[in-house]
Amino acid sequence: LSENVRAEYQQIFETQKVLITEEIHGINGKERYSETRKIPIVEDNQVVEIVTIMRDISERRLADRAMQESEIINRSLLQNPRTGIGYYDLNGHLILFNEQAIRYLGGRPDEYIGKSILEIFGSQAGAEYMNRIQQAIQTKKTLSFEDHVQTTAGKKWFSSFYTSIPDIDGSITGVMVLAHEITEQKIIQQELEKTTLLLEEAQKIGEFGSWDWNIMNHQIWWSDSLFEIFGHDRDAGIPPLDYDQWLESIHPDDRTALHEIIQTAIEQNIAYEVEYRIIRQNDGQVRTIHEQGKIISDQAGEPERLLGATHDITGRKKMEKSLRRIEFAFNHSADSIIFENQHGEILYANNTACKKLGYSHQELLDMKISDIDPDWPIGGDFEKSWNQIKERGYRETESRHQ
């Protein structure tokens, strides 16, 4: 016999009392608990025999451990300084709550204990909360909600969870409600949504769009305005989901060159800037795009994402083309054409004016009208002449040049 067993028997002989011990055994990788009762048989005030009874108490011990762990968890929840907790019975009466719940509600604990949820929150909000309790009881699922609640400290945002609580036989006894204030997060979220909305509106007005391409899986995220630029219906759920589909939107004459520019940017981990044409999906229009892209690398320095901004410059291109035509017409006109500002400074002179006056373009741009026409009004007379032009839209004069 081991020393421990010898000591146990010695104790029984001396005390003549039942000795109860417990042991933990490892069987097939699982813990098993056994209880041993050593019962002395006494005759003439002496122990003449010891009866040993052993039984498996694993289920009881595991249940005790689970109960202890549950008590620890419940105690930590109730003492949680950031989460308000309330336990309601099946009829919606508040049975248990922690200190944080009272801080959220305001007032004293005795004002709420045993009260119905309708009495605590009023008929309108209380009815909604009672409906949630009933849903949690019926579905036996944890339900989550966000609420804007009037408290003693003003309106606050709360995230709440409703969980039905069963007893040992599985019958629902009530519902535990956990509430956590998220006012700060909600304000940040609302500001972010507002900023995002303003950014989207600014992008639509400026015909800008932004995108984020995951290089690893080729998935692309588009801003709302980019859908409009490329002629895709976002609500129809048919955006280009990957790089190859997006590349199909590019004008065939520009597709290869654009692909090479992007691949070079990825291989060399550099930014790029490019102009190209697209064919809009919804109407087949050809649009001119100016795009800038920047590589975002992972911790190892390898390209991970490509962020970019896309600008529809079709209108600008058309205007530039029109201005070039106008400039061509001015430069090849048989008449002298000179633009001046309200200070008499020359802003533009066509080829004919340069030839007739004997000056280069740059020389004329450095001069005033009065430098080439001694009779041109200056000072107050020029201001009077300028106002006449603004009122009438024109002014006819005869001048001599030096």
Side-chain angles (χ1 to χ4, degrees), residues 123-142:
S123 58
Q124 185 173 353
E128 170 62 24
Y129 300 155
M130 187 63 204
N131 182 51
R132 296 176 185 178
I133 289 175
Q134 292 171 345
Q135 287 183 46
I137 294 171
Q138 293 169 3
T139 63
K140 298 182 179 180
K141 295 180 179 179
T142 298

Side-chain angles (χ1 to χ4, degrees), residues 116-294:
S116 72
I117 201 164
L118 295 174
E119 294 175 300
I120 296 172
F121 294 101
S123 58
Q124 185 173 353
E128 170 62 24
Y129 300 155
M130 187 63 204
N131 182 51
R132 296 176 185 178
I133 289 175
Q134 292 171 345
Q135 287 183 46
I137 294 171
Q138 293 169 3
T139 63
K140 298 182 179 180
K141 295 180 179 179
T142 298
L143 309 177
S144 61
F145 303 91
E146 286 187 3
D147 298 295
H148 203 194
V149 180
Q150 181 67 48
T151 70
T152 54
K155 279 207 164 185
K156 302 286 185 179
W157 279 98
F158 290 91
S159 174
S160 57
F161 299 88
Y162 290 67
T163 303
S164 58
I165 305 299
D167 59 14
I168 296 176
D169 62 7
S171 300
I172 302 301
T173 60
V175 172
M176 184 77 76
V177 179
L178 287 76
H180 181 69
E181 186 183 347
I182 56 170
T183 305
E184 185 176 347
Q185 298 94 308
K186 201 68 177 179
I187 291 174
I188 294 173
Q189 178 186 341
Q190 291 173 343
E191 288 297 322
L192 180 60
E193 290 173 353
K194 181 180 178 181
T195 302
T196 301
L197 179 61
L198 291 174
L199 177 60
E200 284 290 350
E201 289 301 316
Q203 288 185 354
K204 289 179 182 178
I205 294 171
E207 295 185 300
F208 273 94
S210 55
W211 46 269
D212 183 351
W213 174 32
N214 187 318
I215 299 173
M216 305 304 295
N217 60 24
H218 290 274
Q219 296 300 299
I220 302 176
W221 169 88
W222 276 12
S223 66
D224 289 345
S225 55
L226 201 58
F227 283 84
E228 296 186 13
I229 292 174
F230 276 79
H232 288 276
D233 183 0
R234 178 164 194 160
D235 295 332
I238 51 171
L241 299 177
D242 58 36
Y243 176 78
D244 292 333
Q245 289 173 306
W246 166 77
L247 206 57
E248 291 177 2
S249 302
I250 311 305
H251 193 286
D253 294 343
D254 298 344
R255 193 175 296 161
T256 301
L258 177 60
H259 174 71
E260 291 176 352
I261 289 172
I262 293 176
Q263 292 305 309
T264 299
I266 295 173
E267 291 169 3
Q268 300 182 12
N269 204 348
I270 59 175
Y272 72 89
E273 185 172 354
V274 65
E275 285 187 11
Y276 59 89
R277 291 166 295 170
I278 64 170
I279 300 177
R280 285 167 54 93
Q281 185 192 59
N282 58 351
D283 55 21
Q285 285 189 25
V286 176
R287 313 289 292 182
T288 303
I289 300 298
H290 175 265
E291 182 172 285
Q292 292 177 292
K294 180 181 180 181

Side-chain angles (χ1 to χ4, degrees), residues 13 17 21 138 143 248 278-279 324 354 358 367 387 393:
F13 278 110
K17 293 181 180 180
T21 59
Q138 293 169 3
L143 309 177
E248 291 177 2
I278 64 170
I279 300 177
R324 284 195 297 270
C354 292
M367 299 169 68
N387 289 332

